[in-house]
Amino acid sequence: MKILVTGGAGFIGSHTCVELLNSGYEIVIADNFSNSKPEVLNRLTAITRKPFDFCEADIRDRVAMDAIFDRFDIGAVIHFAGLKSVGESVEKPLEYYSHNLNATFTLCESMEKHRVGCLIFSSSATVYGSPDTAPVREDFPLGPTTNPYGETKLMQERILRDLESAGVLDSVYLLRYFNPIGAHESGLIGEDPNGIPNNLLPYISKVSVGKLPYLSVYGNDYPTPDGSGIRDYIHVVDLARAHVAALRCALKKKGTHVYNIGTGRGYSVFEIIAAYEKATGRKVPYVVTDRRPGDVAVSYSDPSLAEKELGWKAEYGIERMCVDADRWQTKNPDGYETIKDKFFQY
Ligand code: NAD
Ligand code: UFG
């Protein structure tokens, strides 16, 4: 039995593939490299020294998906593939609704046809909209979401629940990620955004090594102790391990299950800057600007349900997240396009 990982060449998918392979699972990755690079596959081999299958395919292509399910004995699917930029989704809502929903429709149609009933889905804390209080529990009200990307996550959650209720799928595990950051300790895989990063950590990493001049802190007038926004940052390797824990449960326990995947601890933007400076010994110049539209003041999880039911808990703290993010940045100044012999060998 193999595990199909859609979007397995991406940031979270690649780290999850490492953890799956190291836990003894056989995997098939399906990715169209729309937001990743083929080089990541060499890095997965370098880290794990284990074989895996790869299919270059668009999840929205029904013929390609059927061919994957025909060719391999797939027992479960971990579904990462999709578009994920909040700002871009506001500019191109049709593209986001069409892409993310059609990817899930096509995948589920192919799963139904091939009688594969087990799905783990990448959801997001964004489905909670602007929660009134923190920590956020899974039973908090959902929405209204603040952007089309977030709405596609909420819609996909609803669709997958309905499919499970109707018996099209047997096990649906919805993992609501908080803020994944960091990189694998090898420095071989990490987050490689196209162009100028939108998210805090990739931006800080580039400022820290002088590739960008300074960070803009989006607001210091939030009702938080230092005025900047608070988030629940989680090491991507911890997040990857949450998928392995969810998979183990999903293969045994049917039904729809929802879990927050975070550390349960919030850090402000200024605390993250200080942590990054401490971890690297380099200053992170910044200026304070206006708030970014759509940002909430505080968002952090209550992750206790995942600990109770999945037996999973985040292990790494903020310092480790910063050290690993910096190792990835300094070893790969141009991401996966870095000429490998110049910086490291594997
Ligand atoms: P990513 O862009 O690095 O990875 C997504 C991968 O899917 C990429 O390799 C891309 O090439 C591939 N892909 C996209 N559309 C595809 C398609 N139609 N067919 C085949 N492959 C396709 O993103 P990520 O940060 O690893 O996020 C993975 C998932 O987790 C996404 O669904 C995202 O919405 C969700 N998520 C991410 C975050 C975050 O902060 N990174 C937070 C919450 C949820
Ligand atoms: N921030 C800055 N400057 C920057 C970037 C971010 O000050 O250049 C601040 C933001 O205002 C926020 C915090 O840093 O307070 C974190 O911002 P990110 O963009 O890194 O993350 P978000 O919490 O806004 O969004 C992330 C994911 C979304 C997901 C959301 C909820 O990018 O996909 O978490 O889970 F929907």
Side-chain angles (χ1 to χ4, degrees), residues 245-267:
L247 176 65
R248 278 198 195 107
C249 290
L251 289 168
K252 284 192 274 192
K253 189 173 161 195
K254 296 182 175 182
T256 298
H257 303 272
V258 186
Y259 300 102
N260 285 338
I261 306 295
T263 65
R265 160 109 211 242
Y267 285 93

mmCIF file with all atom_site columns, all heavy atoms in Angstrom, residues 245-267:
data_model
loop_
_atom_site.group_PDB
_atom_site.id
_atom_site.type_symbol
_atom_site.label_atom_id
_atom_site.label_alt_id
_atom_site.label_comp_id
_atom_site.label_asym_id
_atom_site.label_entity_id
_atom_site.label_seq_id
_atom_site.pdbx_PDB_ins_code
_atom_site.Cartn_x
_atom_site.Cartn_y
_atom_site.Cartn_z
_atom_site.occupancy
_atom_site.B_iso_or_equiv
_atom_site.pdbx_formal_charge
_atom_site.auth_seq_id
_atom_site.auth_comp_id
_atom_site.auth_asym_id
_atom_site.auth_atom_id
_atom_site.pdbx_PDB_model_num
ATOM 1   N N   . ALA A 1 245 ? 1.088   11.160 12.220 1.00 0.00 ? 245 ALA A N   1
ATOM 2   C CA  . ALA A 1 245 ? 0.202   10.758 13.330 1.00 0.00 ? 245 ALA A CA  1
ATOM 3   C C   . ALA A 1 245 ? -1.246  10.676 12.855 1.00 0.00 ? 245 ALA A C   1
ATOM 4   O O   . ALA A 1 245 ? -1.971  9.724  13.184 1.00 0.00 ? 245 ALA A O   1
ATOM 5   C CB  . ALA A 1 245 ? 0.334   11.763 14.479 1.00 0.00 ? 245 ALA A CB  1
ATOM 6   N N   . ALA A 1 246 ? -1.666  11.649 12.049 1.00 0.00 ? 246 ALA A N   1
ATOM 7   C CA  . ALA A 1 246 ? -3.051  11.652 11.542 1.00 0.00 ? 246 ALA A CA  1
ATOM 8   C C   . ALA A 1 246 ? -3.270  10.463 10.611 1.00 0.00 ? 246 ALA A C   1
ATOM 9   O O   . ALA A 1 246 ? -4.327  9.822  10.651 1.00 0.00 ? 246 ALA A O   1
ATOM 10  C CB  . ALA A 1 246 ? -3.336  12.960 10.810 1.00 0.00 ? 246 ALA A CB  1
ATOM 11  N N   . LEU A 1 247 ? -2.260  10.163 9.795  1.00 0.00 ? 247 LEU A N   1
ATOM 12  C CA  . LEU A 1 247 ? -2.395  9.037  8.861  1.00 0.00 ? 247 LEU A CA  1
ATOM 13  C C   . LEU A 1 247 ? -2.588  7.726  9.624  1.00 0.00 ? 247 LEU A C   1
ATOM 14  O O   . LEU A 1 247 ? -3.469  6.921  9.292  1.00 0.00 ? 247 LEU A O   1
ATOM 15  C CB  . LEU A 1 247 ? -1.144  8.969  7.971  1.00 0.00 ? 247 LEU A CB  1
ATOM 16  C CG  . LEU A 1 247 ? -1.074  7.793  7.011  1.00 0.00 ? 247 LEU A CG  1
ATOM 17  C CD1 . LEU A 1 247 ? -2.190  7.870  5.965  1.00 0.00 ? 247 LEU A CD1 1
ATOM 18  C CD2 . LEU A 1 247 ? 0.292   7.759  6.309  1.00 0.00 ? 247 LEU A CD2 1
ATOM 19  N N   . ARG A 1 248 ? -1.777  7.532  10.660 1.00 0.00 ? 248 ARG A N   1
ATOM 20  C CA  . ARG A 1 248 ? -1.899  6.301  11.462 1.00 0.00 ? 248 ARG A CA  1
ATOM 21  C C   . ARG A 1 248 ? -3.321  6.153  11.982 1.00 0.00 ? 248 ARG A C   1
ATOM 22  O O   . ARG A 1 248 ? -3.911  5.081  11.925 1.00 0.00 ? 248 ARG A O   1
ATOM 23  C CB  . ARG A 1 248 ? -0.947  6.363  12.670 1.00 0.00 ? 248 ARG A CB  1
ATOM 24  C CG  . ARG A 1 248 ? 0.441   5.965  12.311 1.00 0.00 ? 248 ARG A CG  1
ATOM 25  C CD  . ARG A 1 248 ? 1.287   5.598  13.548 1.00 0.00 ? 248 ARG A CD  1
ATOM 26  N NE  . ARG A 1 248 ? 2.668   5.579  13.118 1.00 0.00 ? 248 ARG A NE  1
ATOM 27  C CZ  . ARG A 1 248 ? 3.574   6.503  13.424 1.00 0.00 ? 248 ARG A CZ  1
ATOM 28  N NH1 . ARG A 1 248 ? 3.256   7.517  14.216 1.00 0.00 ? 248 ARG A NH1 1
ATOM 29  N NH2 . ARG A 1 248 ? 4.791   6.416  12.959 1.00 0.00 ? 248 ARG A NH2 1
ATOM 30  N N   . CYS A 1 249 ? -3.888  7.245  12.497 1.00 0.00 ? 249 CYS A N   1
ATOM 31  C CA  . CYS A 1 249 ? -5.255  7.191  13.034 1.00 0.00 ? 249 CYS A CA  1
ATOM 32  C C   . CYS A 1 249 ? -6.266  7.010  11.920 1.00 0.00 ? 249 CYS A C   1
ATOM 33  O O   . CYS A 1 249 ? -7.205  6.224  12.047 1.00 0.00 ? 249 CYS A O   1
ATOM 34  C CB  . CYS A 1 249 ? -5.578  8.470  13.804 1.00 0.00 ? 249 CYS A CB  1
ATOM 35  S SG  . CYS A 1 249 ? -4.682  8.584  15.329 1.00 0.00 ? 249 CYS A SG  1
ATOM 36  N N   . ALA A 1 250 ? -6.076  7.742  10.817 1.00 0.00 ? 250 ALA A N   1
ATOM 37  C CA  . ALA A 1 250 ? -7.069  7.733  9.733  1.00 0.00 ? 250 ALA A CA  1
ATOM 38  C C   . ALA A 1 250 ? -7.202  6.351  9.108  1.00 0.00 ? 250 ALA A C   1
ATOM 39  O O   . ALA A 1 250 ? -8.282  5.974  8.646  1.00 0.00 ? 250 ALA A O   1
ATOM 40  C CB  . ALA A 1 250 ? -6.684  8.755  8.665  1.00 0.00 ? 250 ALA A CB  1
ATOM 41  N N   . LEU A 1 251 ? -6.114  5.591  9.113  1.00 0.00 ? 251 LEU A N   1
ATOM 42  C CA  . LEU A 1 251 ? -6.180  4.248  8.528  1.00 0.00 ? 251 LEU A CA  1
ATOM 43  C C   . LEU A 1 251 ? -6.950  3.292  9.436  1.00 0.00 ? 251 LEU A C   1
ATOM 44  O O   . LEU A 1 251 ? -7.374  2.227  9.013  1.00 0.00 ? 251 LEU A O   1
ATOM 45  C CB  . LEU A 1 251 ? -4.765  3.719  8.255  1.00 0.00 ? 251 LEU A CB  1
ATOM 46  C CG  . LEU A 1 251 ? -4.036  4.422  7.091  1.00 0.00 ? 251 LEU A CG  1
ATOM 47  C CD1 . LEU A 1 251 ? -2.557  4.052  7.056  1.00 0.00 ? 251 LEU A CD1 1
ATOM 48  C CD2 . LEU A 1 251 ? -4.694  4.092  5.746  1.00 0.00 ? 251 LEU A CD2 1
ATOM 49  N N   . LYS A 1 252 ? -7.148  3.696  10.706 1.00 0.00 ? 252 LYS A N   1
ATOM 50  C CA  . LYS A 1 252 ? -7.862  2.828  11.651 1.00 0.00 ? 252 LYS A CA  1
ATOM 51  C C   . LYS A 1 252 ? -9.243  3.360  12.007 1.00 0.00 ? 252 LYS A C   1
ATOM 52  O O   . LYS A 1 252 ? -10.200 2.612  12.129 1.00 0.00 ? 252 LYS A O   1
ATOM 53  C CB  . LYS A 1 252 ? -7.044  2.710  12.950 1.00 0.00 ? 252 LYS A CB  1
ATOM 54  C CG  . LYS A 1 252 ? -5.851  1.785  12.798 1.00 0.00 ? 252 LYS A CG  1
ATOM 55  C CD  . LYS A 1 252 ? -5.230  1.450  14.118 1.00 0.00 ? 252 LYS A CD  1
ATOM 56  C CE  . LYS A 1 252 ? -4.262  2.517  14.468 1.00 0.00 ? 252 LYS A CE  1
ATOM 57  N NZ  . LYS A 1 252 ? -3.334  2.508  15.433 1.00 0.00 ? 252 LYS A NZ  1
ATOM 58  N N   . LYS A 1 253 ? -9.331  4.693  12.195 1.00 0.00 ? 253 LYS A N   1
ATOM 59  C CA  . LYS A 1 253 ? -10.569 5.271  12.737 1.00 0.00 ? 253 LYS A CA  1
ATOM 60  C C   . LYS A 1 253 ? -11.265 6.104  11.665 1.00 0.00 ? 253 LYS A C   1
ATOM 61  O O   . LYS A 1 253 ? -10.727 7.115  11.210 1.00 0.00 ? 253 LYS A O   1
ATOM 62  C CB  . LYS A 1 253 ? -10.201 6.137  13.940 1.00 0.00 ? 253 LYS A CB  1
ATOM 63  C CG  . LYS A 1 253 ? -11.391 6.615  14.736 1.00 0.00 ? 253 LYS A CG  1
ATOM 64  C CD  . LYS A 1 253 ? -10.886 7.304  16.003 1.00 0.00 ? 253 LYS A CD  1
ATOM 65  C CE  . LYS A 1 253 ? -11.935 8.192  16.613 1.00 0.00 ? 253 LYS A CE  1
ATOM 66  N NZ  . LYS A 1 253 ? -11.398 9.110  17.588 1.00 0.00 ? 253 LYS A NZ  1
ATOM 67  N N   . LYS A 1 254 ? -12.480 5.669  11.296 1.00 0.00 ? 254 LYS A N   1
ATOM 68  C CA  . LYS A 1 254 ? -13.204 6.368  10.231 1.00 0.00 ? 254 LYS A CA  1
ATOM 69  C C   . LYS A 1 254 ? -13.888 7.628  10.748 1.00 0.00 ? 254 LYS A C   1
ATOM 70  O O   . LYS A 1 254 ? -13.848 7.921  11.933 1.00 0.00 ? 254 LYS A O   1
ATOM 71  C CB  . LYS A 1 254 ? -14.232 5.408  9.633  1.00 0.00 ? 254 LYS A CB  1
ATOM 72  C CG  . LYS A 1 254 ? -13.574 4.217  8.957  1.00 0.00 ? 254 LYS A CG  1
ATOM 73  C CD  . LYS A 1 254 ? -14.584 3.303  8.326  1.00 0.00 ? 254 LYS A CD  1
ATOM 74  C CE  . LYS A 1 254 ? -13.841 2.215  7.559  1.00 0.00 ? 254 LYS A CE  1
ATOM 75  N NZ  . LYS A 1 254 ? -14.736 1.306  6.862  1.00 0.00 ? 254 LYS A NZ  1
ATOM 76  N N   . GLY A 1 255 ? -14.563 8.325  9.851  1.00 0.00 ? 255 GLY A N   1
ATOM 77  C CA  . GLY A 1 255 ? -15.315 9.523  10.223 1.00 0.00 ? 255 GLY A CA  1
ATOM 78  C C   . GLY A 1 255 ? -14.571 10.791 9.857  1.00 0.00 ? 255 GLY A C   1
ATOM 79  O O   . GLY A 1 255 ? -13.461 10.746 9.309  1.00 0.00 ? 255 GLY A O   1
ATOM 80  N N   . THR A 1 256 ? -15.213 11.930 10.148 1.00 0.00 ? 256 THR A N   1
ATOM 81  C CA  . THR A 1 256 ? -14.564 13.230 9.924  1.00 0.00 ? 256 THR A CA  1
ATOM 82  C C   . THR A 1 256 ? -13.994 13.716 11.250 1.00 0.00 ? 256 THR A C   1
ATOM 83  O O   . THR A 1 256 ? -14.692 13.719 12.271 1.00 0.00 ? 256 THR A O   1
ATOM 84  C CB  . THR A 1 256 ? -15.575 14.261 9.381  1.00 0.00 ? 256 THR A CB  1
ATOM 85  O OG1 . THR A 1 256 ? -16.064 13.795 8.121  1.00 0.00 ? 256 THR A OG1 1
ATOM 86  C CG2 . THR A 1 256 ? -14.938 15.620 9.197  1.00 0.00 ? 256 THR A CG2 1
ATOM 87  N N   . HIS A 1 257 ? -12.737 14.108 11.235 1.00 0.00 ? 257 HIS A N   1
ATOM 88  C CA  . HIS A 1 257 ? -12.063 14.570 12.452 1.00 0.00 ? 257 HIS A CA  1
ATOM 89  C C   . HIS A 1 257 ? -11.290 15.843 12.131 1.00 0.00 ? 257 HIS A C   1
ATOM 90  O O   . HIS A 1 257 ? -10.676 15.937 11.071 1.00 0.00 ? 257 HIS A O   1
ATOM 91  C CB  . HIS A 1 257 ? -11.094 13.497 12.962 1.00 0.00 ? 257 HIS A CB  1
ATOM 92  C CG  . HIS A 1 257 ? -11.773 12.184 13.217 1.00 0.00 ? 257 HIS A CG  1
ATOM 93  N ND1 . HIS A 1 257 ? -12.366 11.875 14.411 1.00 0.00 ? 257 HIS A ND1 1
ATOM 94  C CD2 . HIS A 1 257 ? -11.989 11.136 12.388 1.00 0.00 ? 257 HIS A CD2 1
ATOM 95  C CE1 . HIS A 1 257 ? -12.916 10.672 14.328 1.00 0.00 ? 257 HIS A CE1 1
ATOM 96  N NE2 . HIS A 1 257 ? -12.709 10.207 13.107 1.00 0.00 ? 257 HIS A NE2 1
ATOM 97  N N   . VAL A 1 258 ? -11.341 16.795 13.054 1.00 0.00 ? 258 VAL A N   1
ATOM 98  C CA  . VAL A 1 258 ? -10.728 18.106 12.813 1.00 0.00 ? 258 VAL A CA  1
ATOM 99  C C   . VAL A 1 258 ? -9.718  18.401 13.918 1.00 0.00 ? 258 VAL A C   1
ATOM 100 O O   . VAL A 1 258 ? -10.038 18.235 15.105 1.00 0.00 ? 258 VAL A O   1
ATOM 101 C CB  . VAL A 1 258 ? -11.799 19.223 12.853 1.00 0.00 ? 258 VAL A CB  1
ATOM 102 C CG1 . VAL A 1 258 ? -11.196 20.552 12.448 1.00 0.00 ? 258 VAL A CG1 1
ATOM 103 C CG2 . VAL A 1 258 ? -12.966 18.884 11.961 1.00 0.00 ? 258 VAL A CG2 1
ATOM 104 N N   . TYR A 1 259 ? -8.530  18.844 13.532 1.00 0.00 ? 259 TYR A N   1
ATOM 105 C CA  . TYR A 1 259 ? -7.498  19.134 14.538 1.00 0.00 ? 259 TYR A CA  1
ATOM 106 C C   . TYR A 1 259 ? -6.770  20.434 14.247 1.00 0.00 ? 259 TYR A C   1
ATOM 107 O O   . TYR A 1 259 ? -6.351  20.674 13.109 1.00 0.00 ? 259 TYR A O   1
ATOM 108 C CB  . TYR A 1 259 ? -6.454  17.997 14.579 1.00 0.00 ? 259 TYR A CB  1
ATOM 109 C CG  . TYR A 1 259 ? -7.072  16.678 14.939 1.00 0.00 ? 259 TYR A CG  1
ATOM 110 C CD1 . TYR A 1 259 ? -7.340  15.736 13.949 1.00 0.00 ? 259 TYR A CD1 1
ATOM 111 C CD2 . TYR A 1 259 ? -7.439  16.391 16.256 1.00 0.00 ? 259 TYR A CD2 1
ATOM 112 C CE1 . TYR A 1 259 ? -7.950  14.530 14.263 1.00 0.00 ? 259 TYR A CE1 1
ATOM 113 C CE2 . TYR A 1 259 ? -8.047  15.188 16.577 1.00 0.00 ? 259 TYR A CE2 1
ATOM 114 C CZ  . TYR A 1 259 ? -8.299  14.267 15.576 1.00 0.00 ? 259 TYR A CZ  1
ATOM 115 O OH  . TYR A 1 259 ? -8.911  13.073 15.890 1.00 0.00 ? 259 TYR A OH  1
ATOM 116 N N   . ASN A 1 260 ? -6.600  21.227 15.285 1.00 0.00 ? 260 ASN A N   1
ATOM 117 C CA  . ASN A 1 260 ? -5.666  22.352 15.214 1.00 0.00 ? 260 ASN A CA  1
ATOM 118 C C   . ASN A 1 260 ? -4.250  21.803 15.281 1.00 0.00 ? 260 ASN A C   1
ATOM 119 O O   . ASN A 1 260 ? -3.952  20.958 16.137 1.00 0.00 ? 260 ASN A O   1
ATOM 120 C CB  . ASN A 1 260 ? -5.842  23.274 16.427 1.00 0.00 ? 260 ASN A CB  1
ATOM 121 C CG  . ASN A 1 260 ? -7.079  24.135 16.331 1.00 0.00 ? 260 ASN A CG  1
ATOM 122 O OD1 . ASN A 1 260 ? -7.596  24.375 15.247 1.00 0.00 ? 260 ASN A OD1 1
ATOM 123 N ND2 . ASN A 1 260 ? -7.549  24.611 17.474 1.00 0.00 ? 260 ASN A ND2 1
ATOM 124 N N   . ILE A 1 261 ? -3.381  22.324 14.398 1.00 0.00 ? 261 ILE A N   1
ATOM 125 C CA  . ILE A 1 261 ? -1.981  21.912 14.454 1.00 0.00 ? 261 ILE A CA  1
ATOM 126 C C   . ILE A 1 261 ? -1.138  23.165 14.701 1.00 0.00 ? 261 ILE A C   1
ATOM 127 O O   . ILE A 1 261 ? -0.853  23.945 13.800 1.00 0.00 ? 261 ILE A O   1
ATOM 128 C CB  . ILE A 1 261 ? -1.548  21.189 13.159 1.00 0.00 ? 261 ILE A CB  1
ATOM 129 C CG1 . ILE A 1 261 ? -2.491  20.003 12.850 1.00 0.00 ? 261 ILE A CG1 1
ATOM 130 C CG2 . ILE A 1 261 ? -0.105  20.722 13.287 1.00 0.00 ? 261 ILE A CG2 1
ATOM 131 C CD1 . ILE A 1 261 ? -2.487  18.867 13.857 1.00 0.00 ? 261 ILE A CD1 1
ATOM 132 N N   . GLY A 1 262 ? -0.812  23.354 15.951 1.00 0.00 ? 262 GLY A N   1
ATOM 133 C CA  . GLY A 1 262 ? -0.006  24.501 16.375 1.00 0.00 ? 262 GLY A CA  1
ATOM 134 C C   . GLY A 1 262 ? 0.739   24.116 17.649 1.00 0.00 ? 262 GLY A C   1
ATOM 135 O O   . GLY A 1 262 ? 0.676   22.970 18.092 1.00 0.00 ? 262 GLY A O   1
ATOM 136 N N   . THR A 1 263 ? 1.420   25.115 18.228 1.00 0.00 ? 263 THR A N   1
ATOM 137 C CA  . THR A 1 263 ? 2.134   24.837 19.483 1.00 0.00 ? 263 THR A CA  1
ATOM 138 C C   . THR A 1 263 ? 1.313   25.225 20.699 1.00 0.00 ? 263 THR A C   1
ATOM 139 O O   . THR A 1 263 ? 1.619   24.823 21.817 1.00 0.00 ? 263 THR A O   1
ATOM 140 C CB  . THR A 1 263 ? 3.446   25.641 19.557 1.00 0.00 ? 263 THR A CB  1
ATOM 141 O OG1 . THR A 1 263 ? 3.103   27.031 19.613 1.00 0.00 ? 263 THR A OG1 1
ATOM 142 C CG2 . THR A 1 263 ? 4.348   25.378 18.362 1.00 0.00 ? 263 THR A CG2 1
ATOM 143 N N   . GLY A 1 264 ? 0.317   26.111 20.486 1.00 0.00 ? 264 GLY A N   1
ATOM 144 C CA  . GLY A 1 264 ? -0.466  26.620 21.608 1.00 0.00 ? 264 GLY A CA  1
ATOM 145 C C   . GLY A 1 264 ? 0.146   27.863 22.225 1.00 0.00 ? 264 GLY A C   1
ATOM 146 O O   . GLY A 1 264 ? -0.378  28.408 23.201 1.00 0.00 ? 264 GLY A O   1
ATOM 147 N N   . ARG A 1 265 ? 1.243   28.332 21.640 1.00 0.00 ? 265 ARG A N   1
ATOM 148 C CA  . ARG A 1 265 ? 1.929   29.507 22.188 1.00 0.00 ? 265 ARG A CA  1
ATOM 149 C C   . ARG A 1 265 ? 2.009   30.594 21.116 1.00 0.00 ? 265 ARG A C   1
ATOM 150 O O   . ARG A 1 265 ? 2.383   30.304 19.976 1.00 0.00 ? 265 ARG A O   1
ATOM 151 C CB  . ARG A 1 265 ? 3.320   29.037 22.629 1.00 0.00 ? 265 ARG A CB  1
ATOM 152 C CG  . ARG A 1 265 ? 4.350   30.090 22.792 1.00 0.00 ? 265 ARG A CG  1
ATOM 153 C CD  . ARG A 1 265 ? 4.709   30.338 24.243 1.00 0.00 ? 265 ARG A CD  1
ATOM 154 N NE  . ARG A 1 265 ? 5.086   31.744 24.368 1.00 0.00 ? 265 ARG A NE  1
ATOM 155 C CZ  . ARG A 1 265 ? 6.273   32.162 24.750 1.00 0.00 ? 265 ARG A CZ  1
ATOM 156 N NH1 . ARG A 1 265 ? 7.184   31.316 25.099 1.00 0.00 ? 265 ARG A NH1 1
ATOM 157 N NH2 . ARG A 1 265 ? 6.532   33.450 24.828 1.00 0.00 ? 265 ARG A NH2 1
ATOM 158 N N   . GLY A 1 266 ? 1.649   31.813 21.479 1.00 0.00 ? 266 GLY A N   1
ATOM 159 C CA  . GLY A 1 266 ? 1.702   32.907 20.515 1.00 0.00 ? 266 GLY A CA  1
ATOM 160 C C   . GLY A 1 266 ? 2.951   33.764 20.695 1.00 0.00 ? 266 GLY A C   1
ATOM 161 O O   . GLY A 1 266 ? 3.409   33.966 21.827 1.00 0.00 ? 266 GLY A O   1
ATOM 162 N N   . TYR A 1 267 ? 3.496   34.238 19.569 1.00 0.00 ? 267 TYR A N   1
ATOM 163 C CA  . TYR A 1 267 ? 4.618   35.187 19.608 1.00 0.00 ? 267 TYR A CA  1
ATOM 164 C C   . TYR A 1 267 ? 4.255   36.400 18.771 1.00 0.00 ? 267 TYR A C   1
ATOM 165 O O   . TYR A 1 267 ? 3.674   36.271 17.686 1.00 0.00 ? 267 TYR A O   1
ATOM 166 C CB  . TYR A 1 267 ? 5.889   34.568 19.005 1.00 0.00 ? 267 TYR A CB  1
ATOM 167 C CG  . TYR A 1 267 ? 6.554   33.549 19.907 1.00 0.00 ? 267 TYR A CG  1
ATOM 168 C CD1 . TYR A 1 267 ? 6.243   32.209 19.793 1.00 0.00 ? 267 TYR A CD1 1
ATOM 169 C CD2 . TYR A 1 267 ? 7.480   33.944 20.867 1.00 0.00 ? 267 TYR A CD2 1
ATOM 170 C CE1 . TYR A 1 267 ? 6.846   31.271 20.619 1.00 0.00 ? 267 TYR A CE1 1
ATOM 171 C CE2 . TYR A 1 267 ? 8.088   33.015 21.693 1.00 0.00 ? 267 TYR A CE2 1
ATOM 172 C CZ  . TYR A 1 267 ? 7.763   31.683 21.569 1.00 0.00 ? 267 TYR A CZ  1
ATOM 173 O OH  . TYR A 1 267 ? 8.365   30.763 22.391 1.00 0.00 ? 267 TYR A OH  1
#
